[in-house]
Amino acid sequence: MTTTLHGHIHNGTVILDDPTALPEGTPVSVQPLSQPAPSKHRHGSGAAILETLRRLGPLDPEAAADWDRAYQDLQRSKQESLALEIERDNAREKLNGDLP
């Protein structure tokens, strides 16, 4: 007897729409109904990222401004941390007599 069950792939695992349809451990054979169109770009490449951004559509200007501000704040914080680290190193070297 052949039974057709429906489901989808989630994180590389087959998830059945009705998981109680088969007892645990039942062997199955999976045949995709359709194949996703392969990307013409290598995963993670700049071209693949641009392709994804094009599919997402335009970015809300307010959201873009928020991301830009957050990025600038992060960069400023990194610069301040680096400056403090340099000051601490200089103070240590001065205490140890390594600096005039």
Side-chain angles (χ1 to χ4, degrees), residues 13-63:
T13 301
V14 176
I15 306 296
L16 296 175
D17 294 340
D18 180 11
T20 61
L22 297 172
E24 185 71 26
T26 302
V28 298
S29 175
V30 177
Q31 181 178 358
L33 296 176
S34 64
Q35 292 288 334
S39 175
K40 51 189 165 200
H41 304 293
R42 187 174 56 83
H43 179 73
S45 70
I49 293 168
L50 285 174
E51 179 181 315
T52 301
L53 289 173
R54 276 192 209 98
R55 278 188 270 147
L56 289 173
L59 180 62
D60 172 27
E62 286 185 32

Side-chain angles (χ1 to χ4, degrees), residues 60-71:
D60 172 27
E62 286 185 32
D66 289 343
W67 280 104
D68 189 49
R69 276 191 294 276
Y71 177 77

